[in-house]
Amino acid sequence: MKNIFVLIISLSLFYSCGAQEITTERAVVSSQNETSSRPKLVVGIVVDQMRYDYLTRFESKFGEGGFMRMINEGFNCKNNHFNYVPTYTGPGHTSVYTGTTPKYHGIISNNWYDKDIKESVYCAQDDSVESVGTESSAGKMSPHRMLTTSVADENRLFTQMRGKTIGIAIKDRGAILPAGHTANAAYWFHGKDEGVWITSTFYRNDLPQWVKDFNDSDTVESYLKVWDTYQPIETYIESGSDLNDFERGFNGKETATFPYDLTALKDENGGFDVLKATAYGNSLTVDFALAALEGEALGKDNDTDVLTVSFSSTDYVGHNFGVNSKEVEDTYIRLDKDLERFFKYLDENVGEGEYTVFLTADHGAVDVPAYLESVKIPAGYLDYNDRKERFQKFLVEKYGTVDIVENVSNNQLFFNKAKLKELGLDIHEVEQALVDEQISYPNIAKVYTATTMNSTDFTIGIEALLQNGFNQKRSGDVIIVDDIAHIAYSKKGSTHGSGLNYDTHVPLLFFGKGIKQGQTYNKTVIPDIAPTISALLGISFPNGATGQPLGFVID
């Protein structure tokens, strides 16, 4: 009987150990499968100031390897919008990668009035760090004002910091904010008389050798050449006349017309900064991104890396020449070629089917209002000086001083709380009085109070967009909405910032590993992007994310 008992125990231990080994093997295989299902590299592309209709307007001019490859092989969200205002570069890039809106991530504009220190601050400004790669202050930047994590941060945390993150853009904010707080580095272009790519001590204390090599090469100088149309200009029927009254152009050239001799124009247009407002700025960005892929060995192991690339020059060109210009059309035709070059490099060096790309924009842009007026569409320009005079007169007449308002910026009024208390004024009564006054001014469509933003839950309309852009600690006390297609800008060139379709409707393309082929007209919003990439990677959503993963995109 004793021998039988020992035999049973022995058999139990044998089968138990065997089962444990099988379970362990399955766990290892499952882990390997999970790892292999993830892309080796995620590339996030933001095209600064890209309206959705640029995809359709210029489609006949695109090749098969850039935008059209993403559309034909990937997923096209055709009804993608920003769900907040203001639609500016800083908030836009931040919202794409954090999966939420300024209400939570805190980047409420490019610049805003800081109520604590009583002065204007820049979204990426950081005086606690030093420039790397230049003696100028252009490198004193970091993401410290961004309150939440980005999807790149979450990937770094998930991979125990083994997965790399590199951010790249001509604009500092376009490189810094997408890359997040834990990035290995972010690099941006410093033009003027240097023409180099730089970073800050937030990331590292010196430039890596590959960046030094790039800066020492003649790549930047090679773009100081003639900018002419890529295709014959007479074929650019998707845009207006090259010679018109709606474009600024460059200093030193009488007309805003092709061709542009950038060598001759350099000295009167900020030195190497002249490249920013040409299609060549995007080509330079791709050159540097390719150098980063090689220099950082991105996508070379099983820990997913993240490369964020923002094409800033499309914004500079749009501001300078306007939505309907030949210059904008040529810039997108050339960008399409640059994307093709970029994707081919990824195919050859990371592996076709081993990387995932998404492409979107940080905002759109309005047609030049002067042009809209010329074709009898309601539009116009705002006279802020007249508003200021009327408002100051009102404040003096009603309260005996203008000091109860300490700042007016970003279509917001900021109260001097100490002055209100000194005068014994009720803040809610003052809020409403200022709303009633401002709404009487020309070209102001709506006015709301901070109290309304904090106490009412809006779900539709401009009110919901305002609320999503309203950060209780950083935003103002009264918020103003201007009339449609009315801007405070020169009558040549264009801008953005509103909650209207021309500013909110932007592309959203997914392409590569783990992405279905297809399209949808269902509405998607910018904060959906980061949770979608998180779901694809099987990692945590950014910690403040309010968007939802787009399951119909993921294969």
Side-chain angles (χ1 to χ4, degrees):
M1 188 74 178
K2 181 178 178 182
N3 290 337
I4 293 173
F5 180 75
V6 170
L7 177 62
I8 291 171
I9 295 295
S10 299
L11 288 171
S12 298
L13 288 171
F14 174 79
Y15 284 114
S16 175
C17 291
Q20 186 174 7
E21 287 178 8
I22 293 170
T23 301
T24 301
E25 287 175 4
R26 285 175 178 170
V28 170
V29 170
S30 176
S31 176
Q32 290 173 342
N33 288 340
E34 183 71 19
T35 299
S36 65
S37 70
R38 297 189 185 100
K40 292 183 177 181
L41 176 69
V42 170
V43 180
I45 298 175
V46 176
V47 184
D48 205 320
Q49 202 188 117
M50 184 177 184
R51 291 164 49 122
Y52 173 79
D53 64 350
Y54 289 165
L55 277 181
T56 52
R57 254 177 72 196
F58 306 139
E59 180 179 352
S60 65
K61 296 294 193 297
F62 294 150
E64 294 299 316
F67 289 115
M68 298 312 298
R69 180 179 178 186
M70 295 193 75
I71 290 171
N72 293 332
E73 297 182 20
F75 204 96
N76 184 2
C77 298
K78 295 185 172 184
N79 189 21
N80 183 61
H81 288 263
F82 281 87
N83 62 340
Y84 66 85
V85 289
T87 42
Y88 293 139
T89 299
H93 282 77
T94 308
S95 298
V96 167
Y97 287 89
T98 63
T100 190
T101 69
K103 180 177 182 178
Y104 298 104
H105 63 59
I107 304 299
I108 63 173
S109 189
N110 292 336
N111 302 272
W112 67 86
Y113 180 70
D114 188 308
K115 293 184 278 190
D116 293 327
I117 64 175
K118 309 297 183 184
E119 62 182 48
S120 180
V121 297
Y122 174 58
C123 61
Q125 170 191 347
D126 189 348
D127 292 335
S128 72
V129 300
E130 299 298 328
S131 300
V132 176
T134 178
E135 294 297 318
S136 78
S137 62
K140 293 172 74 67
M141 304 287 170
S142 85
H144 76 108
R145 287 194 167 90
M146 187 169 74
L147 303 177
T148 62
T149 62
S150 72
V151 65
D153 286 324
E154 295 299 336
N155 184 67
R156 290 274 284 158
L157 293 171
F158 182 84
T159 61
Q160 301 301 312
M161 301 296 171
R162 293 188 300 269
K164 286 186 175 181
T165 298
I166 302 292
I168 293 169
I170 292 284
K171 293 181 182 179
D172 48 38
R173 58 188 180 272
I176 292 166
L177 298 170
H181 302 279
T182 61
N184 299 83
Y187 300 100
W188 54 98
F189 183 69
H190 176 55
K192 300 191 183 302
D193 60 348
E194 295 186 64
V196 292
W197 290 85
I198 66 173
T199 188
S200 83
T201 54
F202 178 85
Y203 305 101
R204 51 185 302 134
N205 293 321
D206 61 352
L207 293 177
Q209 190 59 48
W210 68 266
V211 178
K212 293 177 182 177
D213 291 342
F214 190 94
N215 286 340
D216 289 340
S217 73
D218 64 352
T219 304
V220 175
E221 288 83 353
S222 71
Y223 289 113
L224 290 174
K225 57 185 179 181
V226 174
W227 177 25
D228 205 350
T229 55
Y230 186 83
Q231 299 176 14
I233 195 168
E234 61 271 15
T235 67
Y236 284 22
I237 59 173
E238 296 81 7
S239 48
S241 170
D242 194 30
L243 180 62
N244 58 69
D245 295 327
F246 314 118
E247 304 172 13
R248 287 205 307 270
F250 294 104
N251 296 330
K253 193 173 189 299
E254 287 188 12
T255 60
T257 55
F258 282 108
Y260 299 96
D261 185 343
L262 302 183
T263 302
L265 294 172
K266 173 187 172 186
D267 292 342
E268 292 189 58
N269 293 275
F272 287 106
D273 280 343
V274 72
L275 294 176
K276 296 179 179 180
T278 75
Y280 296 142
N282 295 326
S283 301
L284 176 61
T285 301
V286 169
D287 293 339
F288 190 76
L290 298 184
L293 284 163
E294 181 177 352
E296 298 290 343
L298 299 179
K300 294 297 186 181
D301 58 30
N302 288 328
D303 289 308
T304 302
D305 298 321
V306 176
L307 175 65
T308 73
V309 181
S310 178
F311 291 105
S312 308
S313 291
T314 43
D315 185 67
Y316 289 110
V317 174
H319 278 294
N320 196 356
F321 298 97
V323 168
N324 202 44
S325 64
K326 292 277 193 272
E327 288 79 4
V328 161
E329 178 166 2
D330 191 70
T331 296
Y332 278 90
I333 290 171
R334 290 178 179 273
L335 176 57
D336 182 61
K337 300 300 179 186
D338 282 321
L339 289 174
E340 181 175 4
R341 176 164 65 100
F342 184 55
F343 295 153
K344 282 183 178 178
Y345 183 93
L346 293 176
D347 288 341
E348 295 168 2
N349 292 274
V350 177
E352 189 170 1
E354 294 296 333
Y355 62 89
T356 305
V357 182
F358 70 81
L359 182 149
T360 188
D362 56 348
H363 53 74
V366 65
D367 263 295
V368 179
Y371 167 68
L372 294 177
E373 288 179 311
S374 75
V375 293
K376 301 180 181 179
I377 292 176
Y381 295 87
L382 306 171
D383 188 343
Y384 277 176
N385 289 329
D386 179 63
R387 275 191 196 178
K388 181 179 179 180
E389 289 177 8
R390 289 183 60 173
F391 187 49
Q392 288 183 337
K393 182 179 179 182
F394 162 79
L395 291 175
V396 171
E397 289 177 352
K398 187 169 181 65
Y399 301 108
T401 179
V402 299
D403 293 342
I404 64 167
V405 176
E406 63 184 18
N407 182 265
V408 180
S409 57
N410 290 319
N411 273 23
Q412 297 180 20
L413 310 180
F414 293 80
F415 289 167
N416 182 333
K417 304 295 175 58
K419 193 66 176 180
L420 291 178
K421 186 175 181 180
E422 176 189 324
L423 296 175
L425 297 172
D426 181 88
I427 189 171
H428 302 299
E429 292 179 0
V430 175
E431 275 183 334
Q432 191 56 52
L434 268 55
V435 166
D436 294 340
E437 173 66 15
Q438 289 283 330
I439 197 65
S440 69
Y441 295 170
N443 303 129
I444 290 182
K446 295 176 181 290
V447 189
Y448 295 94
T449 67
T451 299
T452 299
M453 290 294 110
N454 289 324
S455 61
T456 306
D457 185 19
F458 297 108
T459 57
I460 60 172
I462 189 66
E463 295 80 7
L465 274 63
L466 289 170
Q467 193 165 58
N468 285 337
F470 182 85
N471 182 279
Q472 190 173 5
K473 292 198 73 170
R474 294 182 175 181
S475 297
D477 298 286
V478 174
I479 305 168
I480 299 164
V481 180
D482 293 317
D483 278 348
I484 294 173
H486 282 70
I487 60 175
Y489 207 68
S490 72
K491 293 191 175 183
K492 296 187 176 186
S494 192
T495 193
H496 49 84
S498 79
L500 295 156
N501 285 324
Y502 50 71
D503 282 335
T504 67
H505 191 193
V506 297
L508 177 55
L509 305 175
F510 293 92
F511 157 69
K513 188 166 189 175
I515 302 300
K516 291 180 181 177
Q517 194 283 324
Q519 62 182 33
T520 183
Y521 286 104
N522 292 335
K523 186 173 184 178
T524 58
V525 293
I526 287 294
D528 293 337
I529 298 172
T532 301
I533 296 300
S534 291
L536 176 70
L537 297 179
I539 65 176
S540 291
F541 294 0
N543 59 17
T546 53
Q548 299 298 316
L550 304 175
F552 51 81
V553 165
I554 299 174
D555 191 357

